[in-house]
Amino acid sequence: MRQALVAGNWKMHGSRAMARALAQGVVSGATELDSVEIVLLPPFVLIPQVAGELADSAVVLGAQNVAAAAEGAYTGEVSAAMLREFGCRYALVGHSERRQLFGETDDLIARRAAAALREDLRPVICVGETQREREAGETEAVIRRQLDEVLKVLPRESVGQVVLAYEPVWAIGTGRTASPEQAQAVHATIRAHLRTACGALADRVRIVYGGSVKPDKAAELFAMADVDGGLIGGASLRADDFLAICQCAARGGG
Ligand code: PEP
């Protein structure tokens, strides 16, 4: 049985005051939700502040990216060891905004994921197709290519530590949520592909869905067999909406 995971990607939003209020709101509502792992992903500079708010709670801290290198002349990057020192347990890698706006390649994303795992930071690896790729019938091929690059570099025994996020690019921030059937179909493809590459470990990997998940959409998505939670953007900026989504995950979507 895989524990559900719901992560809130704040993107480049917030201030110290907002981070305090939002983290406190999530912590106070999370006390009855121990069957779901709740992760907050604030911008780098707000990590120390949010770490303070999450201390003594079950809510977990993560970052929105992580360097591929351990140390050195990489201006603007933040290493996995630095993130660990400030209390992070997870790091997003390969978000479509990083791929599309900042030119991050499959290879770089794979190396970021490997660097995270070396420091015991769990990568949440995002994969997903664009609208054009879906319409061209390329969804499966795109997802396989993105996954294969990662599987090539990750030590096999660490694959169970990874979280995969299926985020169709056309659904992110657009209000066009994938249907539960569309999400399940791709999640099942991901799991089957993982099973071919790593055998039974595939059943330990949590595969979460991201793309315009709102409280009214979450239950039906999380009810699908291979949807193990969500990666939430816009709706994670309001504690009540985010908690409502976490409640759906705690109920297993039912
Ligand atoms: C995201 O940023 O990963 C995301 C899924 O955003 P939204 O929920 O706003 O579509």
Side-chain angles (χ1 to χ4, degrees), residues 9 11 92 95 97 167 171-174 210-214 231-235:
N9 174 16
K11 310 196 190 200
L92 272 189
H95 191 281
E97 288 152 16
E167 294 213 305
I172 299 177
T174 60
S212 298
V213 178
K214 307 292 175 211
L231 177 55
I232 317 301

Side-chain angles (χ1 to χ4, degrees), residues 77-238:
E77 293 286 288
V78 179
S79 76
M82 292 169 183
L83 295 173
R84 282 292 280 154
E85 187 180 0
F86 280 83
C88 291
R89 308 302 305 266
Y90 286 90
L92 272 189
V93 296
H95 191 281
S96 69
E97 288 152 16
R98 301 301 314 175
R99 293 177 190 265
Q100 295 202 317
L101 304 177
F102 301 97
E104 294 198 9
T105 60
D106 290 336
D107 165 67
L108 173 61
I109 288 156
R111 288 185 290 112
R112 289 188 188 281
L117 284 166
R118 279 195 291 276
E119 293 295 333
D120 200 21
L121 186 69
R122 292 175 165 217
V124 179
I125 304 169
C126 304
V127 297
E129 81 288 0
T130 63
Q131 176 74 32
R132 189 201 59 72
E133 290 163 341
R134 175 163 279 265
E135 282 165 4
E138 294 169 0
T139 300
E140 197 170 322
V142 169
I143 306 277
R144 279 172 184 270
R145 189 202 71 223
Q146 292 170 338
L147 278 178
D148 283 343
E149 204 66 40
V150 168
L151 292 170
K152 232 167 42 190
V153 302
L154 295 192
R156 201 189 136 127
E157 65 281 1
S158 62
V159 170
Q161 305 299 310
V162 162
V163 175
L164 287 169
Y166 169 53
E167 294 213 305
V169 180
W170 47 270
I172 299 177
T174 60
R176 289 181 56 211
T177 323
S179 70
E181 294 73 23
Q182 283 173 322
Q184 169 59 26
V186 178
H187 284 226
T189 300
I190 293 173
R191 199 168 314 279
H193 195 59
L194 284 175
R195 205 170 280 125
T196 308
C198 333
L201 265 183
D203 294 310
R204 297 220 334 246
V205 175
R206 287 174 294 178
I207 309 174
V208 300
Y209 168 81
S212 298
V213 178
K214 307 292 175 211
D216 61 335
K217 296 278 173 60
E220 50 179 6
L221 283 161
F222 299 161
M224 306 312 281
D226 288 292
V227 179
D228 302 317
L231 177 55
I232 317 301
S236 73
L237 296 171
R238 287 180 52 104

Side-chain angles (χ1 to χ4, degrees), residues 12-16 19 42-50 78 83 86:
M12 198 173 72
H13 291 291
S15 61
R16 287 156 78 127
F44 286 132
V45 293
L46 294 174
I47 283 173
Q49 164 107 35
V50 176
V78 179
L83 295 173
F86 280 83

